[in-house]
Amino acid sequence: MRAIIHVDMDAFYASVEQRDAPELAGKPVIVGGHPKRGVVLAASYEVRPFGVRSAMPMAHAVRLAPRAIVVPPRFSAYLEASERVFAIFERYTPEIEPLSLDEAFLDVTGSLKLFGPAQAIAARIRREIAEEVQLPASAGIASVKFVAKMASDIAKPNGQREVRAEDTIAFLSPLPVSRLWGVGPKTEERMRTLGLKTIGDVAARGAKWLDEYLGSGGVHLWELSQGIDARAVESDRAAKSIGAEDTFEHDIAIGEALHPYIHQQALRVGVRLRKHGLKTRVVQLKLKLADFQLLTRRKTLDAPTDDGQALYQEALALLERAPSGKRVRLTGVSAQDIGETGGQVELFATAKTLQSERRGKLNKALDKIAEKFGSDAIATADLLGARVEDNEDDEARRQVGAARFDRAKE
Amino acid sequence: MKFITSANTLADHLYRVQGVASAKSTMPALSHVLLRADGQQLKLSATDLDLAIEDFVPVKVEQAGSVALPAKSLFEVVKTLPPGDVSLTLVDNQRVEIKAPKATFKLVGVSAGEFPAIPQVPDTQSIELPAREIARMIDGTIFCVSTDDARYNLTGVYWEALQGGKGLRFVATDGHRLALMERAFDQHVTMKPVIVPKKALIELKRLLGATPAEEQRVRCAFSDNHVVFGVGDVKLSSRLIEGQFPDYEQVIPKSAPNVVKASRAELSDALKRVSIMSPDKSFGIRLHVENDRVRVESQNPLLGEASQEIDVEYQGPAITIGFNAHYLLEVLSQISEGGVRIELADHISPALVRPIESRDLLGVVMPMRV
């Protein structure tokens, strides 16, 4: 049996902002774009009782919580925090499957002898994140991936929950079916008409019954209801592709608002490719629409690359081909068809190869700076936070800006 | 349709035609060969829309007619028949009965009407070239053709007339290595440079056989975007690759100062042996050249390492340079005998590889950073 930990940071962006500006601690904080046109990117736990959720229009959020402090996003700071968190994971296992910036599966089966039971490892990881990165995290511990993820959801905020194999069915039973992976609003509706409200309802029916009424997907749902999930934790080394994706709690319209997410995801993929000495030939952009429809667009490159900026440019071109105006709940950038770099020199020094060589040198330098000073030390302007773009009537924004300036002086 | 011919003859002709038919097409007719019996001959045609072939077989036509049959299956059937006469008769519903002594097959075809029309290409510029030389030039360059559709202009062999029309030059490259061959011909060659797709050249080679007879000729007719090769009665026409072939002359080193002379067989054996230990996909090996010695080395962190020395002729400075072993092996395999001459500048500059005894072939291989 495996020992799997799902670690999920709590209100990640908002927590980073509260950490970096002490006057925000314990206050309702909204990380978001333009106060009139943007969307909520993260909401601190203090503001959630007002009904503020990620990806809701800022105008709406501000109406719900007029006293909330609005802060512009600083993606580079989130990236930096994320890398420090992942570095802590690496102390305990090499088997890490990143799900997004603030979420990962860890297979610690091989680490139990060294570090003790999974429950203790999760506690140590959370304590080290709290001490070294000053951020709250929650963890779920189980023998299969999806149960671990559900457990961490339930443990939030700042908690952990272990579900032993023998308790799995009892744990799952009262949860709504929408919690199961693969159950979107449509399937949920179908299931409700069949009288399946909780996972326990699914478990009570046999696999045969579910197959008959829901097709082959029904069998899979029954297996999940029994806590059966054969998927292994897939770390980068063994993976055939490397990807980064983030789910927004609410939906964002296809368009420029997605750019910073995609940019940052592309850069994350680039960093991970270079870390393992891999390059990719195929870039894939993944969009999950509000209705759970999955769109993937891919492009084969002229030459293999490990440059996040190049991946970003390709992903943007792919985004252009997506149906504009639709709303998405998740974006992801991945490198498919990855392989060792090898270092083959090109025969024809075209403008493109020369540029990619220069990029290679630049990335090497950037990786070194990030290693030494953290990836927050250097970033592109769009990820650094919209501090310069508009100096308008936003009191909170100015306050936070001033607070940061003070810290910088210290 | 009904005709009778010798099974051997029919098999020979089907062999030449079936390679053009494309097994993986979405259009079923493209995996078929069209048979049209008329007068005293059978015309066979196949096409994948880029490449088309037409061949004629002497047969005894009992009833004129036409049908398209699955190319691979028809060839498989006919080639396994015992020597002797075979008759093909269209029975019903596009089904063809193939009858040999004591054996009968029925093969389901499609109507001739579903077979795409093969474009007829006007012979605007036509030249006749010695088949043996053309076959050799195809072999000597085709291994460098890129298989990468993203680099479309490199997916064929570049044909260019030599200055003053004295002969022909073939060049192929995949962006990491390059092969160049040229031959002087008795007749004058005038043509615009063209890029001929790899598949067309593979099929042309099939028509020419392994070693064409001394006197055999290939007719080549070029139009703006097609080439038609004529070999005997067979006509093979191909779309040309549009796009610019790169300025290859600038990447061929004019004179690299450090010359290694080695036995082709010894170097080739060492590369094969040592590359067993090279990293999986890159086949990276290192050559360390110094003082009449080459040491071939490889290292795979997951597997182990290997090293072999061979005696060579070399008096230049010590150089360590990495290569994809396959790239070197493929060019070496085109050097038939004797010694090989490798000219190096430094560890990131292209290496020039050619036979010592002749100017038959010129290979350029880019190094790997190691």
Side-chain angles (χ1 to χ4, degrees), chain A residues 281 300-303 337-349 353 357, chain B residues 148 150-151 173 175-178 246-248 251 281 324 327 364 366-369:
Chain A
R281 278 295 304 269
T300 302
L301 309 177
D302 290 351
D337 186 20
I338 53 183
E340 311 260 327
T341 45
Q344 175 67 50
V345 182
E346 293 285 325
L347 194 51
F348 301 99
T353 56
E357 244 167 65
Chain B
D148 183 353
R151 304 177 94 164
T173 176
H176 297 150
R177 63 221 167 116
L178 174 148
D247 182 6
Y248 66 89
V251 301
K281 278 185 186 163
N324 178 326
Y327 291 174
V364 180
M366 279 315 267
M368 282 174 85
R369 290 201 179 82

Side-chain angles (χ1 to χ4, degrees), chain B residues 278-312:
Chain B
S278 63
D280 291 345
K281 278 185 186 163
S282 67
F283 299 103
I285 51 98
R286 256 187 326 271
L287 299 184
H288 183 76
V289 195
E290 189 174 12
N291 218 351
D292 286 342
R293 281 269 159 86
V294 170
R295 192 167 66 246
V296 188
E297 300 170 331
S298 70
Q299 222 172 352
N300 181 339
L302 300 175
L303 201 60
E305 51 189 66
S307 147
Q308 183 180 352
E309 281 192 356
I310 58 172
D311 294 330
V312 299

Side-chain angles (χ1 to χ4, degrees), chain A residues 261-322:
Chain A
Y261 290 97
I262 293 174
H263 192 179
Q264 193 237 52
Q265 287 159 353
L267 293 180
R268 266 148 68 194
V269 172
V271 168
R272 279 163 59 195
L273 285 170
R274 293 195 295 277
K275 189 169 159 196
H276 297 294
L278 298 168
K279 282 194 179 185
T280 178
R281 278 295 304 269
V282 179
V283 182
Q284 180 173 290
L285 176 71
K286 175 167 155 189
L287 300 172
K288 198 187 265 179
L289 300 184
D291 60 3
F292 283 79
Q293 189 193 336
L294 199 62
L295 295 181
T296 55
R297 298 275 182 275
R298 47 165 65 200
K299 167 139 194 245
T300 302
L301 309 177
D302 290 351
T305 186
D306 58 8
D307 175 26
Q309 298 293 2
L311 298 180
Y312 175 51
Q313 292 311 322
E314 298 298 343
L316 276 193
L318 292 172
L319 183 68
E320 292 281 308
R321 284 166 42 203

Side-chain angles (χ1 to χ4, degrees), chain B residues 134-144 170 181 205 210 334 361:
Chain B
I134 295 299
R136 169 74 196 111
M137 289 168 77
I138 294 173
D139 283 342
T141 51
I142 202 165
F143 66 93
C144 278
F170 281 17
M181 284 195 83
K205 264 286 290 180
Q334 288 304 320
L361 163 97

